[in-house]
C-alpha cells in the first residue's frame, strides 16, 4: 500500500468486498475458538486487447492449503470444462458455420454453495462490514 497506485488498489479492494457483500458470501461473526483459514489479497492489472486501458483487480483468496480433509471439508470440486468438450463444440460450430461467443462471469466463484461452515480471517488492514 506504499505504491503510487495506492488509490487504484484501494478501489479494487472496495469493489471486491462489495461483490462479496452483494452476493452474501459471508456473515461476520465473533471469533470463538473455531478453526479459521487465513486469507490474502491477490492483485493484478488487467489490460484490454490493445494493451491500452488498465483495470486494477483485487481478489480475496483463502489459503485453502491449510484445510484438513474430513475436518474442514469432505470433498473437492472444481467446475471446469474438459478440453474434449471444448473441441467438440468448436468442431460443431466450424461444421455448421456457427458463431461462438465466450464470456467471463466476474464473480462466478461467489455463487457456489458450501455444505460446511468455513471460517476465514480477513487480511490485516482490511475493513469489512
Amino acid at each position: 500500500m506504499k505504491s503510487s497506485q495506492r488509490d487504484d488498489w484501494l478501489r479494487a479492494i472496495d469493489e471486491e468486498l462489495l461483490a462479496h457483500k452483494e452476493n452474501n458470501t459471508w456473515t461476520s461473526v465473533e471469533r470463538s475458538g473455531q478453526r479459521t483459514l487465513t486469507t490474502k489479497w491477490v492483485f493484478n492489472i488487467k489490460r484490454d486487447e490493445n494493451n491500452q486501458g488498465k483495470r486494477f483487480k483485487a481478489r480475496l483468496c483463502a489459503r485453502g492449503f491449510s484445510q484438513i480433509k474430513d475436518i474442514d471439508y469432505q470433498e473437492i470440486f472444481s467446475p471446469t470444462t474438459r478440453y474434449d468438450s471444448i473441441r467438440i463444440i468448436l468442431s460443431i460450430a466450424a461444421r455448421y458455420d456457427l458463431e461462438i461467443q465466450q464470456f467471463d462471469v466476474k464473480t462466478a466463484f461467489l455463487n457456489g454453495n458450501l455444505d460446511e461452515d468455513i471460517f476465514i480471517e480477513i487480511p490485516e488492514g482490511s475493513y469489512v462490514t
Side-chain angles (χ1 to χ4, degrees):
M1 286 293 132
K2 295 179 181 177
S3 165
S4 61
Q5 300 164 326
R6 180 180 192 273
D7 292 339
D8 295 314
W9 291 121
L10 288 174
R11 274 192 293 280
I13 288 171
D14 288 343
E15 185 179 323
E16 172 75 351
L17 291 175
L18 180 62
H20 281 283
K21 186 174 186 173
E22 288 174 349
N23 285 284
N24 295 315
T25 307
W26 63 57
T27 303
S28 293
V29 296
E30 291 294 321
R31 177 181 282 237
S32 61
Q34 67 273 24
R35 281 182 46 83
T36 60
L37 297 177
T38 58
T39 57
K40 71 176 189 172
W41 287 110
V42 175
F43 299 104
N44 193 7
I45 296 177
K46 295 284 194 167
R47 298 185 186 278
D48 64 18
E49 57 275 355
N50 299 321
N51 207 22
Q52 297 298 314
K54 287 199 277 189
R55 182 169 169 266
F56 291 80
K57 191 172 174 182
R59 290 291 175 253
L60 182 63
C61 297
R63 293 177 169 163
F65 56 81
S66 63
Q67 289 180 296
I68 300 170
K69 186 170 180 7
D70 295 326
I71 293 176
D72 296 317
Y73 68 94
Q74 301 303 316
E75 62 182 340
I76 298 171
F77 176 73
S78 178
T80 58
T81 304
R82 292 179 46 148
Y83 285 114
D84 296 349
S85 301
I86 294 171
R87 287 186 191 108
I88 290 170
I89 290 172
L90 292 173
S91 298
I92 292 169
R95 169 67 176 92
Y96 294 102
D97 196 29
L98 301 173
E99 291 185 22
I100 294 178
Q101 289 187 334
Q102 182 269 333
F103 63 94
D104 184 26
V105 178
K106 190 168 120 179
T107 57
F109 67 96
L110 297 180
N111 293 307
N113 293 318
L114 298 176
D115 295 329
E116 302 89 3
D117 289 332
I118 304 294
F119 296 91
I120 63 169
E121 297 177 23
I122 301 301
E124 186 177 330
S126 299
Y127 175 73
V128 177
T129 57

